[in-house]
Amino acid sequence: MPIAVDIDVMLARRKMSVGELAERVGITPANLAVLKNGRAKAVRFTTLAALCEVLECQPGDLLRWEPAGGGDGGRDGAGRGEGAVERAAHGVPGG
């Protein structure tokens, strides 16, 4: 995917666990893992803002563009992208 996610870099810098970040942001560890591992198709600005607030960083510290070069197209094993995961995380129907 052309957008790389560097959440794990910021977690290491802040000496914070995925579980702690998920709890402080208000999403499940599973949904955070989808985003962190680059399988997300979308992220809500509210979620991005919460990540930035908790990690005390800018969106560009978490996301960066890379030239396309393979991968699984950003799909998880169920064939659902982050949009469905984000909707489920925030109680929004659809998918």
Side-chain angles (χ1 to χ4, degrees):
M1 177 183 295
I3 301 296
V5 181
D6 291 327
I7 290 175
D8 47 356
V9 172
M10 293 306 296
L11 283 170
R13 287 183 182 165
R14 302 297 186 253
K15 296 182 172 84
M16 187 181 299
S17 71
V18 171
E20 181 183 352
L21 178 60
E23 183 177 326
R24 291 178 63 185
V25 168
I27 62 176
T28 67
N31 288 339
L32 181 57
V34 168
L35 179 59
K36 185 175 87 67
N37 294 325
R39 295 189 318 256
K41 296 298 278 181
V43 62
R44 292 175 186 263
F45 280 168
T46 54
T47 302
L48 183 59
L51 287 165
C52 290
E53 182 177 353
V54 170
L55 293 170
E56 298 178 349
C57 66
Q58 295 294 314
D61 296 326
L62 301 176
L63 304 172
R64 63 187 156 81
W65 179 83
E66 288 185 342
D72 64 0
R75 293 274 194 211
D76 65 14
R80 293 173 29 192
E82 176 68 8
V85 174
E86 279 285 313
R87 285 190 299 276
H90 295 283
V92 178

mmCIF file with all atom_site columns, all heavy atoms in Angstrom, residues 18-36:
data_model
loop_
_atom_site.group_PDB
_atom_site.id
_atom_site.type_symbol
_atom_site.label_atom_id
_atom_site.label_alt_id
_atom_site.label_comp_id
_atom_site.label_asym_id
_atom_site.label_entity_id
_atom_site.label_seq_id
_atom_site.pdbx_PDB_ins_code
_atom_site.Cartn_x
_atom_site.Cartn_y
_atom_site.Cartn_z
_atom_site.occupancy
_atom_site.B_iso_or_equiv
_atom_site.pdbx_formal_charge
_atom_site.auth_seq_id
_atom_site.auth_comp_id
_atom_site.auth_asym_id
_atom_site.auth_atom_id
_atom_site.pdbx_PDB_model_num
ATOM 1   N N   . VAL A 1 18 ? 0.700   -1.443 22.769 1.00 0.00 ? 18 VAL A N   1
ATOM 2   C CA  . VAL A 1 18 ? -0.458  -1.346 21.884 1.00 0.00 ? 18 VAL A CA  1
ATOM 3   C C   . VAL A 1 18 ? -1.738  -1.304 22.722 1.00 0.00 ? 18 VAL A C   1
ATOM 4   O O   . VAL A 1 18 ? -2.648  -0.518 22.453 1.00 0.00 ? 18 VAL A O   1
ATOM 5   C CB  . VAL A 1 18 ? -0.494  -2.527 20.881 1.00 0.00 ? 18 VAL A CB  1
ATOM 6   C CG1 . VAL A 1 18 ? -1.803  -2.549 20.106 1.00 0.00 ? 18 VAL A CG1 1
ATOM 7   C CG2 . VAL A 1 18 ? 0.685   -2.460 19.933 1.00 0.00 ? 18 VAL A CG2 1
ATOM 8   N N   . GLY A 1 19 ? -1.799  -2.121 23.742 1.00 0.00 ? 19 GLY A N   1
ATOM 9   C CA  . GLY A 1 19 ? -2.984  -2.156 24.596 1.00 0.00 ? 19 GLY A CA  1
ATOM 10  C C   . GLY A 1 19 ? -3.239  -0.834 25.289 1.00 0.00 ? 19 GLY A C   1
ATOM 11  O O   . GLY A 1 19 ? -4.380  -0.364 25.365 1.00 0.00 ? 19 GLY A O   1
ATOM 12  N N   . GLU A 1 20 ? -2.181  -0.207 25.797 1.00 0.00 ? 20 GLU A N   1
ATOM 13  C CA  . GLU A 1 20 ? -2.333  1.085  26.466 1.00 0.00 ? 20 GLU A CA  1
ATOM 14  C C   . GLU A 1 20 ? -2.790  2.157  25.476 1.00 0.00 ? 20 GLU A C   1
ATOM 15  O O   . GLU A 1 20 ? -3.686  2.956  25.774 1.00 0.00 ? 20 GLU A O   1
ATOM 16  C CB  . GLU A 1 20 ? -1.024  1.514  27.114 1.00 0.00 ? 20 GLU A CB  1
ATOM 17  C CG  . GLU A 1 20 ? -1.122  2.841  27.836 1.00 0.00 ? 20 GLU A CG  1
ATOM 18  C CD  . GLU A 1 20 ? 0.188   3.322  28.440 1.00 0.00 ? 20 GLU A CD  1
ATOM 19  O OE1 . GLU A 1 20 ? 1.172   2.567  28.453 1.00 0.00 ? 20 GLU A OE1 1
ATOM 20  O OE2 . GLU A 1 20 ? 0.216   4.491  28.887 1.00 0.00 ? 20 GLU A OE2 1
ATOM 21  N N   . LEU A 1 21 ? -2.179  2.163  24.276 1.00 0.00 ? 21 LEU A N   1
ATOM 22  C CA  . LEU A 1 21 ? -2.571  3.139  23.265 1.00 0.00 ? 21 LEU A CA  1
ATOM 23  C C   . LEU A 1 21 ? -4.037  2.950  22.874 1.00 0.00 ? 21 LEU A C   1
ATOM 24  O O   . LEU A 1 21 ? -4.798  3.917  22.811 1.00 0.00 ? 21 LEU A O   1
ATOM 25  C CB  . LEU A 1 21 ? -1.674  3.045  22.035 1.00 0.00 ? 21 LEU A CB  1
ATOM 26  C CG  . LEU A 1 21 ? -2.018  4.000  20.887 1.00 0.00 ? 21 LEU A CG  1
ATOM 27  C CD1 . LEU A 1 21 ? -1.922  5.457  21.338 1.00 0.00 ? 21 LEU A CD1 1
ATOM 28  C CD2 . LEU A 1 21 ? -1.116  3.737  19.689 1.00 0.00 ? 21 LEU A CD2 1
ATOM 29  N N   . ALA A 1 22 ? -4.434  1.710  22.631 1.00 0.00 ? 22 ALA A N   1
ATOM 30  C CA  . ALA A 1 22 ? -5.820  1.427  22.247 1.00 0.00 ? 22 ALA A CA  1
ATOM 31  C C   . ALA A 1 22 ? -6.789  1.915  23.319 1.00 0.00 ? 22 ALA A C   1
ATOM 32  O O   . ALA A 1 22 ? -7.802  2.548  23.003 1.00 0.00 ? 22 ALA A O   1
ATOM 33  C CB  . ALA A 1 22 ? -6.004  -0.067 21.997 1.00 0.00 ? 22 ALA A CB  1
ATOM 34  N N   . GLU A 1 23 ? -6.470  1.636  24.565 1.00 0.00 ? 23 GLU A N   1
ATOM 35  C CA  . GLU A 1 23 ? -7.335  2.054  25.665 1.00 0.00 ? 23 GLU A CA  1
ATOM 36  C C   . GLU A 1 23 ? -7.429  3.579  25.739 1.00 0.00 ? 23 GLU A C   1
ATOM 37  O O   . GLU A 1 23 ? -8.523  4.139  25.864 1.00 0.00 ? 23 GLU A O   1
ATOM 38  C CB  . GLU A 1 23 ? -6.796  1.509  26.988 1.00 0.00 ? 23 GLU A CB  1
ATOM 39  C CG  . GLU A 1 23 ? -7.663  1.841  28.179 1.00 0.00 ? 23 GLU A CG  1
ATOM 40  C CD  . GLU A 1 23 ? -7.133  1.221  29.464 1.00 0.00 ? 23 GLU A CD  1
ATOM 41  O OE1 . GLU A 1 23 ? -6.579  0.109  29.403 1.00 0.00 ? 23 GLU A OE1 1
ATOM 42  O OE2 . GLU A 1 23 ? -7.280  1.858  30.518 1.00 0.00 ? 23 GLU A OE2 1
ATOM 43  N N   . ARG A 1 24 ? -6.303  4.257  25.630 1.00 0.00 ? 24 ARG A N   1
ATOM 44  C CA  . ARG A 1 24 ? -6.299  5.718  25.741 1.00 0.00 ? 24 ARG A CA  1
ATOM 45  C C   . ARG A 1 24 ? -6.964  6.399  24.543 1.00 0.00 ? 24 ARG A C   1
ATOM 46  O O   . ARG A 1 24 ? -7.549  7.465  24.691 1.00 0.00 ? 24 ARG A O   1
ATOM 47  C CB  . ARG A 1 24 ? -4.864  6.220  25.930 1.00 0.00 ? 24 ARG A CB  1
ATOM 48  C CG  . ARG A 1 24 ? -4.312  5.809  27.310 1.00 0.00 ? 24 ARG A CG  1
ATOM 49  C CD  . ARG A 1 24 ? -2.897  6.223  27.539 1.00 0.00 ? 24 ARG A CD  1
ATOM 50  N NE  . ARG A 1 24 ? -2.761  7.673  27.513 1.00 0.00 ? 24 ARG A NE  1
ATOM 51  C CZ  . ARG A 1 24 ? -1.599  8.299  27.602 1.00 0.00 ? 24 ARG A CZ  1
ATOM 52  N NH1 . ARG A 1 24 ? -0.473  7.602  27.722 1.00 0.00 ? 24 ARG A NH1 1
ATOM 53  N NH2 . ARG A 1 24 ? -1.535  9.619  27.561 1.00 0.00 ? 24 ARG A NH2 1
ATOM 54  N N   . VAL A 1 25 ? -6.891  5.756  23.352 1.00 0.00 ? 25 VAL A N   1
ATOM 55  C CA  . VAL A 1 25 ? -7.514  6.318  22.145 1.00 0.00 ? 25 VAL A CA  1
ATOM 56  C C   . VAL A 1 25 ? -9.007  5.986  22.108 1.00 0.00 ? 25 VAL A C   1
ATOM 57  O O   . VAL A 1 25 ? -9.798  6.741  21.555 1.00 0.00 ? 25 VAL A O   1
ATOM 58  C CB  . VAL A 1 25 ? -6.795  5.807  20.878 1.00 0.00 ? 25 VAL A CB  1
ATOM 59  C CG1 . VAL A 1 25 ? -7.571  6.126  19.614 1.00 0.00 ? 25 VAL A CG1 1
ATOM 60  C CG2 . VAL A 1 25 ? -5.394  6.408  20.797 1.00 0.00 ? 25 VAL A CG2 1
ATOM 61  N N   . GLY A 1 26 ? -9.389  4.855  22.698 1.00 0.00 ? 26 GLY A N   1
ATOM 62  C CA  . GLY A 1 26 ? -10.793 4.455  22.712 1.00 0.00 ? 26 GLY A CA  1
ATOM 63  C C   . GLY A 1 26 ? -11.171 3.514  21.585 1.00 0.00 ? 26 GLY A C   1
ATOM 64  O O   . GLY A 1 26 ? -12.314 3.523  21.128 1.00 0.00 ? 26 GLY A O   1
ATOM 65  N N   . ILE A 1 27 ? -10.216 2.703  21.112 1.00 0.00 ? 27 ILE A N   1
ATOM 66  C CA  . ILE A 1 27 ? -10.509 1.674  20.122 1.00 0.00 ? 27 ILE A CA  1
ATOM 67  C C   . ILE A 1 27 ? -9.987  0.345  20.646 1.00 0.00 ? 27 ILE A C   1
ATOM 68  O O   . ILE A 1 27 ? -9.203  0.310  21.594 1.00 0.00 ? 27 ILE A O   1
ATOM 69  C CB  . ILE A 1 27 ? -9.897  1.993  18.730 1.00 0.00 ? 27 ILE A CB  1
ATOM 70  C CG1 . ILE A 1 27 ? -8.366  2.075  18.787 1.00 0.00 ? 27 ILE A CG1 1
ATOM 71  C CG2 . ILE A 1 27 ? -10.475 3.279  18.173 1.00 0.00 ? 27 ILE A CG2 1
ATOM 72  C CD1 . ILE A 1 27 ? -7.714  2.283  17.418 1.00 0.00 ? 27 ILE A CD1 1
ATOM 73  N N   . THR A 1 28 ? -10.417 -0.739 20.026 1.00 0.00 ? 28 THR A N   1
ATOM 74  C CA  . THR A 1 28 ? -9.969  -2.052 20.489 1.00 0.00 ? 28 THR A CA  1
ATOM 75  C C   . THR A 1 28 ? -8.535  -2.311 20.024 1.00 0.00 ? 28 THR A C   1
ATOM 76  O O   . THR A 1 28 ? -8.104  -1.779 18.992 1.00 0.00 ? 28 THR A O   1
ATOM 77  C CB  . THR A 1 28 ? -10.863 -3.179 19.941 1.00 0.00 ? 28 THR A CB  1
ATOM 78  O OG1 . THR A 1 28 ? -10.697 -3.254 18.523 1.00 0.00 ? 28 THR A OG1 1
ATOM 79  C CG2 . THR A 1 28 ? -12.328 -2.944 20.293 1.00 0.00 ? 28 THR A CG2 1
ATOM 80  N N   . PRO A 1 29 ? -7.800  -3.125 20.765 1.00 0.00 ? 29 PRO A N   1
ATOM 81  C CA  . PRO A 1 29 ? -6.449  -3.497 20.322 1.00 0.00 ? 29 PRO A CA  1
ATOM 82  C C   . PRO A 1 29 ? -6.469  -4.150 18.936 1.00 0.00 ? 29 PRO A C   1
ATOM 83  O O   . PRO A 1 29 ? -5.557  -3.943 18.141 1.00 0.00 ? 29 PRO A O   1
ATOM 84  C CB  . PRO A 1 29 ? -5.970  -4.473 21.398 1.00 0.00 ? 29 PRO A CB  1
ATOM 85  C CG  . PRO A 1 29 ? -6.733  -4.080 22.623 1.00 0.00 ? 29 PRO A CG  1
ATOM 86  C CD  . PRO A 1 29 ? -8.094  -3.636 22.113 1.00 0.00 ? 29 PRO A CD  1
ATOM 87  N N   . ALA A 1 30 ? -7.521  -4.912 18.626 1.00 0.00 ? 30 ALA A N   1
ATOM 88  C CA  . ALA A 1 30 ? -7.614  -5.562 17.315 1.00 0.00 ? 30 ALA A CA  1
ATOM 89  C C   . ALA A 1 30 ? -7.726  -4.514 16.208 1.00 0.00 ? 30 ALA A C   1
ATOM 90  O O   . ALA A 1 30 ? -7.084  -4.630 15.161 1.00 0.00 ? 30 ALA A O   1
ATOM 91  C CB  . ALA A 1 30 ? -8.806  -6.510 17.272 1.00 0.00 ? 30 ALA A CB  1
ATOM 92  N N   . ASN A 1 31 ? -8.542  -3.494 16.422 1.00 0.00 ? 31 ASN A N   1
ATOM 93  C CA  . ASN A 1 31 ? -8.678  -2.448 15.410 1.00 0.00 ? 31 ASN A CA  1
ATOM 94  C C   . ASN A 1 31 ? -7.403  -1.631 15.278 1.00 0.00 ? 31 ASN A C   1
ATOM 95  O O   . ASN A 1 31 ? -7.033  -1.226 14.175 1.00 0.00 ? 31 ASN A O   1
ATOM 96  C CB  . ASN A 1 31 ? -9.868  -1.546 15.730 1.00 0.00 ? 31 ASN A CB  1
ATOM 97  C CG  . ASN A 1 31 ? -11.187 -2.232 15.489 1.00 0.00 ? 31 ASN A CG  1
ATOM 98  O OD1 . ASN A 1 31 ? -11.266 -3.196 14.745 1.00 0.00 ? 31 ASN A OD1 1
ATOM 99  N ND2 . ASN A 1 31 ? -12.230 -1.748 16.133 1.00 0.00 ? 31 ASN A ND2 1
ATOM 100 N N   . LEU A 1 32 ? -6.730  -1.390 16.386 1.00 0.00 ? 32 LEU A N   1
ATOM 101 C CA  . LEU A 1 32 ? -5.455  -0.683 16.325 1.00 0.00 ? 32 LEU A CA  1
ATOM 102 C C   . LEU A 1 32 ? -4.428  -1.519 15.564 1.00 0.00 ? 32 LEU A C   1
ATOM 103 O O   . LEU A 1 32 ? -3.645  -0.986 14.778 1.00 0.00 ? 32 LEU A O   1
ATOM 104 C CB  . LEU A 1 32 ? -4.953  -0.354 17.726 1.00 0.00 ? 32 LEU A CB  1
ATOM 105 C CG  . LEU A 1 32 ? -3.636  0.410  17.792 1.00 0.00 ? 32 LEU A CG  1
ATOM 106 C CD1 . LEU A 1 32 ? -3.703  1.717  17.015 1.00 0.00 ? 32 LEU A CD1 1
ATOM 107 C CD2 . LEU A 1 32 ? -3.252  0.665  19.244 1.00 0.00 ? 32 LEU A CD2 1
ATOM 108 N N   . ALA A 1 33 ? -4.444  -2.844 15.757 1.00 0.00 ? 33 ALA A N   1
ATOM 109 C CA  . ALA A 1 33 ? -3.521  -3.720 15.043 1.00 0.00 ? 33 ALA A CA  1
ATOM 110 C C   . ALA A 1 33 ? -3.752  -3.670 13.537 1.00 0.00 ? 33 ALA A C   1
ATOM 111 O O   . ALA A 1 33 ? -2.799  -3.672 12.751 1.00 0.00 ? 33 ALA A O   1
ATOM 112 C CB  . ALA A 1 33 ? -3.642  -5.156 15.557 1.00 0.00 ? 33 ALA A CB  1
ATOM 113 N N   . VAL A 1 34 ? -5.013  -3.607 13.119 1.00 0.00 ? 34 VAL A N   1
ATOM 114 C CA  . VAL A 1 34 ? -5.327  -3.504 11.689 1.00 0.00 ? 34 VAL A CA  1
ATOM 115 C C   . VAL A 1 34 ? -4.696  -2.237 11.112 1.00 0.00 ? 34 VAL A C   1
ATOM 116 O O   . VAL A 1 34 ? -4.078  -2.259 10.048 1.00 0.00 ? 34 VAL A O   1
ATOM 117 C CB  . VAL A 1 34 ? -6.860  -3.519 11.455 1.00 0.00 ? 34 VAL A CB  1
ATOM 118 C CG1 . VAL A 1 34 ? -7.210  -3.117 10.028 1.00 0.00 ? 34 VAL A CG1 1
ATOM 119 C CG2 . VAL A 1 34 ? -7.410  -4.910 11.756 1.00 0.00 ? 34 VAL A CG2 1
ATOM 120 N N   . LEU A 1 35 ? -4.832  -1.152 11.826 1.00 0.00 ? 35 LEU A N   1
ATOM 121 C CA  . LEU A 1 35 ? -4.241  0.105  11.384 1.00 0.00 ? 35 LEU A CA  1
ATOM 122 C C   . LEU A 1 35 ? -2.718  0.046  11.436 1.00 0.00 ? 35 LEU A C   1
ATOM 123 O O   . LEU A 1 35 ? -2.027  0.376  10.467 1.00 0.00 ? 35 LEU A O   1
ATOM 124 C CB  . LEU A 1 35 ? -4.761  1.257  12.262 1.00 0.00 ? 35 LEU A CB  1
ATOM 125 C CG  . LEU A 1 35 ? -4.230  2.637  11.958 1.00 0.00 ? 35 LEU A CG  1
ATOM 126 C CD1 . LEU A 1 35 ? -4.558  3.050  10.527 1.00 0.00 ? 35 LEU A CD1 1
ATOM 127 C CD2 . LEU A 1 35 ? -4.801  3.650  12.940 1.00 0.00 ? 35 LEU A CD2 1
ATOM 128 N N   . LYS A 1 36 ? -2.183  -0.416 12.541 1.00 0.00 ? 36 LYS A N   1
ATOM 129 C CA  . LYS A 1 36 ? -0.732  -0.473 12.761 1.00 0.00 ? 36 LYS A CA  1
ATOM 130 C C   . LYS A 1 36 ? -0.023  -1.362 11.750 1.00 0.00 ? 36 LYS A C   1
ATOM 131 O O   . LYS A 1 36 ? 1.086   -1.044 11.305 1.00 0.00 ? 36 LYS A O   1
ATOM 132 C CB  . LYS A 1 36 ? -0.468  -0.982 14.180 1.00 0.00 ? 36 LYS A CB  1
ATOM 133 C CG  . LYS A 1 36 ? 0.985   -0.978 14.606 1.00 0.00 ? 36 LYS A CG  1
ATOM 134 C CD  . LYS A 1 36 ? 1.122   -1.387 16.053 1.00 0.00 ? 36 LYS A CD  1
ATOM 135 C CE  . LYS A 1 36 ? 1.216   -2.855 16.259 1.00 0.00 ? 36 LYS A CE  1
ATOM 136 N NZ  . LYS A 1 36 ? 2.394   -3.498 15.758 1.00 0.00 ? 36 LYS A NZ  1
#
